[in-house]
Amino acid sequence: MNLLIGEIESLPYFHIPEAERQSKELKPPPQSGADLPWNVFIVVPLIVTIESNMGTKEGRNRQTTTQRSQRSVVLGVLSLTTLVLWWLFSTTIQRFYLNKTTLGSVVSQSVDTIKSSPQDNGLTRDVQWDGYSLFIKGQRVFIWSGEVHPWRIPVKSQWLDILQKVKALGMNAVSVYAHWGLHNPSRGTLDFDGWKDWQPFLDMAKAVGLWVVFRPGPYINAETTGGGIPGWVLSETSGDLRSNNTDYLETWSPYIKAISKVIRRNQITEGGPIIAVQMENEYTDDETKGPPYKPQMMKQLRKAFIKAGIVVPLTHNDAGMNGYYVNGTGSPDLYGFDDYPQGFDCSHPLDWNNLTKSYHDYHMDVFPDRPLYIPEAQQGSFDPWGPSAPGYEKCRLLTDKNFQNTLYYHMLASNVKLINLYMIYGGTSWGNIPFPGVYTSYDYGSAIRENRDLSEKYNYLKPLGMFLRSVPELYHTDVVSSRVISSNREDSPALVTHLRNPDSGASFYFVRHSDASKDDDARYTLQLSTNSGELRLPIFYETFLLKYRTTELIVTDIKFGNSSLIYTSASIFFAGRMGSRDVLVLYGDVELPHEAIIQLKGEPNRINRSPLVSLIPPSPLLNLAKGTLISFLPGITQMVEVWDSDEQLILFCDTETANALHAPVLAGDSSDPFRSFWGIGSNNSIIVGGPYLVRSAILEDGTLGLNGDLKEDAFLRVIGLPKEVHRITWNGVDVDTLQSLRNWPSIVSLPLAKTISLLPLVREFGPWKYQDSLPEITNAYDDSDWVVANKTNTTCPYGPLFGSGPVLYACDYGFCEGAVLWRGYFNGSKAKEGVRLAINGGEGEFCIYR
């Protein structure tokens, strides 16, 4: 046995010339069995056999010299047996890997040129940008954000709940509208008190670790009355609104000055979370549409913000890829455009539109010097009011987990580096906030429901956020190619888009149906290049399966800590460093096989590896001279250990298990004002499974403090626990460890019991009282104090439809929002049998009483 091992160690495979070892291109694999060197078939079975008997550090330490001698004969017999099995397996590999028909090939093409030197607005360098992404405090970042309107949940104690749930999704930012009408209900009145006070919300965002893009209007839309413009502005402004009209300028200037004071003291330059401010909303610069002098108004707005001390970049959101305010008068520092590809027809939630928009081409043609930014990416839909309204659960189905996967991967494949999901939490449009086209609920079919419960969309969205946080190589990529490849279905070819990091060579291959609206599965193969050589994929099986209305991501050549992932068809939940180890957590569809090539490090500890997981050490047969090939067969449920050493921890689980995992950020140094911001104040995390929600985690003095929610009794599973931890608490209460705190395994499972608080019984009330809510319709009602509608002039550009009689626009009399009641009198007679009413202005229904 010693002689045989010596012969193997002297084979050419183990001695690669330095020039060849440094080369990134390996020779193509042999094309037939006759060309395959027989030493390939000998190396692996011996390694596998030896590892199976002596593969753990603990096992080797127990073996004596006598024991090793006694097992040498057994090893020889096992090696011969395994040799025969390996010959059969190798023949199969040749048939599937070397001689199979490749349906698709992804090769390098010319790469679009993107400006990569950081630039700024000349007012601050805390927020910079290039043609790829933003830089915050000098660090390249990917903005993964969700829209939240605190005034749609006007209970300040509940704001933290929403922000923690957004952060738990893996997001690093929120976008917020400020509503002009709420803060400025009448001329000369500015209200920033109570639930209209922004400071508590911004303090909470900073504490949680979420950047803020502040969008104060003046116009915001957001399905609000007047788009946020106060009603009094309509009645007291002569001429056009949303133009450089002097009267209009005088109405919004006090509000912008006041809201800018709030923004100024919370900018990143002042230690706050605000990194950008949006001017206006979805506005055109086309002089043939709407009022004239629109760019001049945008110029006035920009000047007002800067004069008020706003130094962070100013942005604007085009309503689509229209090119409005990219450059020229009134243009912002950062341009973006909104996209709602599914539209707003929740009545037909299963009808999909195809993704035909060429985000990347538009980016390169129109603004290649700035990052591709989508300020509003569809997360749900509003629901129109009325008896035929389908309800928000239908809107949630319209924009379900498959829609999320397809649209957001499409945006990533287009090289978008700033994405804000509208809405991540919708809330409630209280009082007279909603415009007449919608009702009070603004649930929006979002990932977080109106009642703040987490929907299925939330759980499926979370792994994407964790992936974006884990793989910084994606923040700086070029689009190398985007091409249609054939599949097993002629009517459903696959579209493969290849992104590559120009510095590290990390590559991302996004594969989806060329027509995303189709509901058919398709099978395909790929041939692609890695830093280690060419791969024909898949390796273990005949084809990849692309399920209908989904997008798959194949990743090559990324780092996790100090380790290398050469290739994976499985999805990445986490890739990074925890404590002293490099940790990689992969996941995939339980019904499908998956595979990966990873450079394993360290001596393996004893683990119970699933029989559905196979490891094949490096072999030139499969072009795997630099990594171990790992196969994951269908049927894996829960979490399984793949590799566990003092240097690495590699795990795999099914998608449902991954959806239930949490990865809270461990805050950095307490003296750092940005200690909770991932990538800026902290790069440390912990993975937790079991609870319904993990809101936060803090590691201090050997104690891991976890805070979160339970819906039922659960097991707390902690992955990658640092060795210095000797105590775990859940919501401040010590967790029963059931084991020695000095010998944590890689996955710690501890019981958690849901605490039930018994509320005191509420006594019965009664008898109930009520009051007529519409006494105005009775003949006996006294209206002597009402305002008499007798004006003959109006600032409204649209005069009365009939005659020159009194103006009956309610806003001209100070009643601009909500339901308005009119009382009229006329002298009747038996000869007059009816009344004709002509009603115009605004939207909505009306009722007539007599």
Side-chain angles (χ1 to χ4, degrees):
M1 178 60 67
N2 290 335
L3 177 60
L4 182 57
I5 293 176
E7 289 176 351
I8 294 175
E9 290 175 345
S10 68
L11 291 174
Y13 166 66
F14 287 93
H15 180 70
I16 302 175
E18 185 65 25
E20 185 178 347
R21 188 159 53 238
Q22 292 179 356
S23 172
K24 292 185 178 181
E25 300 246 344
L26 299 182
K27 295 180 180 179
Q31 297 302 308
S32 68
D35 299 327
L36 293 172
W38 275 101
N39 58 346
V40 170
F41 298 114
I42 299 175
V43 173
V44 177
L46 284 179
I47 295 176
V48 173
T49 303
I50 294 171
E51 182 187 66
S52 66
N53 289 274
M54 303 165 58
T56 65
K57 184 168 53 180
E58 183 181 352
R60 278 189 296 274
N61 291 338
R62 288 201 307 267
Q63 288 180 329
T64 64
T65 304
T66 303
Q67 289 172 324
R68 286 194 294 269
S69 299
Q70 292 172 345
R71 293 185 178 183
S72 61
V73 176
V74 176
L75 284 173
V77 174
L78 288 175
S79 297
L80 291 175
T81 303
T82 310
L83 178 61
V84 175
L85 295 175
W86 179 248
W87 180 84
L88 295 173
F89 175 73
S90 301
T91 304
T92 304
I93 287 291
Q94 293 174 50
R95 186 161 57 247
F96 283 104
Y97 179 69
L98 300 178
N99 299 324
K100 68 184 177 185
T101 301
T102 302
L103 299 180
S105 177
V106 180
V107 295
S108 298
Q109 295 180 341
S110 60
V111 179
D112 292 316
T113 302
I114 294 180
K115 186 174 181 179
S116 60
S117 57
Q119 54 185 311
D120 55 66
N121 60 5
L123 300 173
T124 179
R125 291 187 177 180
D126 280 354
V127 183
Q128 297 175 293
W129 62 89
D130 62 7
Y132 295 100
S133 70
L134 284 189
F135 293 85
I136 296 179
K137 295 287 186 180
Q139 183 77 29
R140 188 183 290 279
V141 297
F142 188 110
I143 297 297
W144 181 236
S145 168
E147 187 82 15
V148 175
H149 302 155
W151 38 272
R152 278 187 159 123
I153 180 171
V155 181
K156 290 190 286 186
S157 60
Q158 295 178 359
W159 292 346
L160 182 61
D161 172 58
I162 297 300
L163 292 173
Q164 288 176 333
K165 287 172 178 174
V166 172
K167 182 62 179 290
L169 269 174
M171 289 183 162
N172 63 354
V174 289
S175 171
V176 296
Y177 274 137
H179 192 287
W180 177 13
L182 290 177
H183 292 296
N184 193 187
S186 61
R187 188 184 289 273
T189 301
L190 291 166
D191 185 359
F192 290 89
D193 296 327
W195 58 270
K196 300 177 185 179
D197 183 3
W198 280 94
Q199 197 57 53
F201 179 87
L202 295 171
D203 289 343
M204 292 175 191
K206 177 182 174 181
V208 170
L210 291 169
W211 303 113
V212 176
V213 176
F214 207 96
R215 310 204 289 170
Y219 177 84
I220 62 170
N221 188 1
E223 285 70 60
T224 62
T225 298
I229 298 177
W232 64 267
V233 174
L234 303 178
S235 63
E236 298 184 24
T237 303
S238 59
D240 295 315
L241 306 184
R242 301 180 76 189
S243 75
N244 70 339
N245 174 14
T246 302
D247 281 0
Y248 183 59
L249 170 65
E250 291 176 352
T251 61
W252 61 253
S253 291
Y255 160 70
I256 290 299
K257 183 177 181 180
I259 196 71
S260 292
K261 289 181 180 179
V262 176
I263 298 171
R264 183 179 65 238
R265 65 174 178 259
N266 287 284
Q267 294 177 105
I268 186 175
T269 53
E270 303 299 321
I274 297 177
I275 57 171
V277 174
Q278 180 177 297
M279 304 189 302
E280 249 280 342
N281 185 81
E282 295 179 337
Y283 208 27
T284 174
D285 63 8
D286 188 340
E287 290 296 337
T288 66
K289 300 177 181 179
Y293 308 113
K294 296 181 288 294
Q296 288 74 18
M297 183 212 67
M298 292 288 282
K299 182 178 180 181
Q300 291 174 335
L301 196 55
R302 179 182 178 91
K303 181 178 179 180
F305 279 124
I306 294 176
K307 184 178 180 180
I310 306 305
V311 299
V312 295
L314 297 176
T315 73
H316 183 67
N317 62 327
D318 197 343
M321 293 187 289
N322 304 306
Y324 298 147
Y325 298 106
V326 173
N327 296 299
T329 302
S331 61
D333 300 313
L334 296 174
Y335 165 84
F337 59 87
D338 299 345
D339 189 45
Y340 293 85
Q342 277 294 75
F344 307 98
D345 183 8
C346 300
S347 299
H348 302 87
L350 300 181
D351 294 344
W352 270 36
N353 299 320
N354 190 19
L355 301 174
T356 58
K357 297 182 177 179
S358 301
Y359 303 132
H360 173 66
D361 293 342
Y362 178 69
H363 177 213
M364 299 310 300
D365 291 341
V366 179
F367 57 109
D369 59 330
R370 285 161 285 177
L372 185 47
Y373 174 30
I374 300 186
E376 294 182 22
Q378 185 170 11
Q379 161 62 196
S381 170
F382 64 81
D383 188 34
W385 77 289
S388 62
Y392 277 114
E393 285 308 311
K394 290 290 185 67
C395 296
R396 196 166 278 111
L397 179 59
L398 176 74
T399 55
D400 65 356
K401 60 183 182 180
N402 288 345
F403 170 81
Q404 291 181 151
N405 166 274
T406 301
L407 177 61
Y408 305 150
Y409 270 14
H410 174 56
M411 290 179 174
L412 296 180
S414 302
N415 231 12
V416 183
K417 305 302 184 190
L418 295 89
I419 302 176
N420 176 58
L421 306 188
Y422 190 100
M423 304 279 301
I424 200 63
Y425 172 75
T428 306
S429 295
W430 301 92
N432 298 316
I433 289 176
F435 92 112
V438 296
Y439 50 95
T440 304
S441 174
Y442 201 65
D443 179 278
Y444 217 79
S446 301
I448 305 175
R449 289 187 170 91
E450 182 182 15
N451 64 1
R452 294 179 289 125
D453 197 8
L454 306 181
S455 72
E456 182 190 48
K457 288 175 60 174
Y458 182 98
N459 292 331
Y460 276 89
L461 189 60
K462 181 171 48 178
L464 177 56
M466 299 308 171
F467 164 74
L468 292 174
R469 203 175 73 184
S470 296
V471 187
E473 291 97 329
L474 184 63
Y475 306 171
H476 181 199
T477 56
D478 294 307
V479 177
V480 178
S481 63
S482 186
R483 57 169 51 193
V484 174
I485 63 171
S486 59
S487 70
N488 66 316
R489 297 184 61 89
E490 295 182 0
D491 60 341
S492 184
L495 177 67
V496 182
T497 302
H498 174 199
L499 271 58
R500 184 176 61 207
N501 185 298
D503 298 326
S504 68
S507 287
F508 306 86
Y509 298 86
F510 296 87
V511 186
R512 68 171 176 85
H513 297 275
S514 58
D515 185 349
S517 65
K518 286 187 174 294
D519 55 4
D520 297 319
D521 295 346
R523 292 188 175 274
Y524 68 97
T525 62
L526 285 178
Q527 181 175 336
L528 50 85
S529 297
T530 71
N531 291 344
S532 301
E534 186 177 88
L535 290 176
R536 298 182 183 185
L537 305 174
I539 297 173
F540 272 109
Y541 33 98
E542 184 69 21
T543 60
F544 289 117
L545 175 63
L546 181 62
K547 290 189 174 182
Y548 76 98
R549 293 183 176 180
T550 60
T551 300
E552 298 295 337
L553 174 58
I554 293 174
V555 178
T556 68
D557 299 308
I558 70 162
K559 292 286 187 179
F560 60 104
N562 299 318
S563 299
S564 296
L565 171 64
I566 298 175
Y567 149 69
T568 178
S569 66
S571 299
I572 299 172
F573 180 86
F574 181 87
R577 195 159 179 84
M578 289 185 177
S580 60
R581 294 200 291 180
D582 300 334
V583 178
L584 177 66
V585 179
L586 302 175
Y587 69 96
D589 190 323
V590 69
E591 298 177 350
L592 300 178
H594 307 277
E595 57 190 21
I597 302 175
I598 305 172
Q599 289 184 351
L600 302 181
K601 290 184 176 182
E603 298 293 335
N605 300 310
R606 182 177 296 279
I607 62 174
N608 294 319
R609 184 175 296 138
S610 167
L612 300 177
V613 178
S614 301
L615 276 64
I616 299 180
S619 166
L621 166 66
L622 303 178
N623 235 356
L624 305 179
K626 294 187 177 181
T628 297
L629 175 60
I630 305 174
S631 167
F632 308 99
L633 294 178
I636 295 176
T637 59
Q638 298 300 317
M639 186 74 69
V640 298
E641 293 175 290
V642 179
W643 187 260
D644 184 342
S645 73
D646 292 342
E647 298 180 49
Q648 283 181 331
L649 175 63
I650 300 173
L651 306 170
F652 181 89
C653 64
D654 62 294
T655 300
E656 294 298 326
T657 299
N659 292 343
L661 294 176
H662 310 273
V665 175
L666 296 173
D669 193 292
S670 59
S671 63
D672 186 350
F674 302 107
R675 63 192 300 254
S676 297
F677 289 85
W678 180 263
I680 305 298
S682 173
N683 288 307
N684 298 317
S685 181
I686 197 79
I687 298 177
V688 181
Y692 171 72
L693 176 69
V694 176
R695 296 177 178 273
S696 64
I698 187 169
L699 180 59
E700 288 183 350
D701 300 326
T703 297
L704 175 65
L706 300 173
N707 290 279
D709 301 355
L710 294 175
K711 278 199 167 183
E712 57 189 3
D713 291 353
F715 268 91
L716 177 69
R717 293 180 175 86
V718 185
I719 299 170
L721 196 66
K723 291 183 178 180
E724 65 268 24
V725 172
H726 57 77
R727 179 177 174 231
I728 298 177
T729 64
W730 175 256
N731 293 334
V733 178
D734 283 317
V735 177
D736 185 5
T737 62
L738 300 181
Q739 57 185 304
S740 172
L741 293 175
R742 298 180 180 178
N743 187 29
W744 293 109
S746 295
I747 302 178
V748 179
S749 294
L750 306 169
L752 286 178
K754 180 182 178 184
T755 301
I756 301 177
S757 299
L758 297 178
L759 299 176
L761 295 177
V762 179
R763 67 180 179 86
E764 292 187 5
F765 291 98
W768 290 98
K769 299 179 180 180
Y770 66 92
Q771 183 173 341
D772 187 356
S773 63
L774 200 60
E776 295 88 349
I777 67 174
T778 64
N779 291 332
Y781 181 80
D782 181 8
D783 59 13
S784 59
D785 292 331
W786 280 33
V787 175
V788 178
N790 56 8
K791 291 186 178 182
T792 57
N793 296 312
T794 179
T795 57
C796 179
Y798 309 101
L801 293 180
F802 301 101
S804 58
V807 172
L808 299 181
Y809 288 128
C811 203
D812 282 352
Y813 298 94
F815 303 98
C816 298
E817 289 88 15
V820 178
L821 293 176
W822 299 82
R823 284 174 64 92
Y825 298 89
F826 62 93
N827 296 321
S829 67
K830 292 182 178 180
K832 296 179 180 179
E833 298 179 350
V835 176
R836 181 185 180 189
L837 298 176
I839 300 174
N840 74 301
E843 299 180 43
E845 300 294 328
F846 59 89
C847 296
I848 300 173
Y849 306 92
R850 68 179 179 88

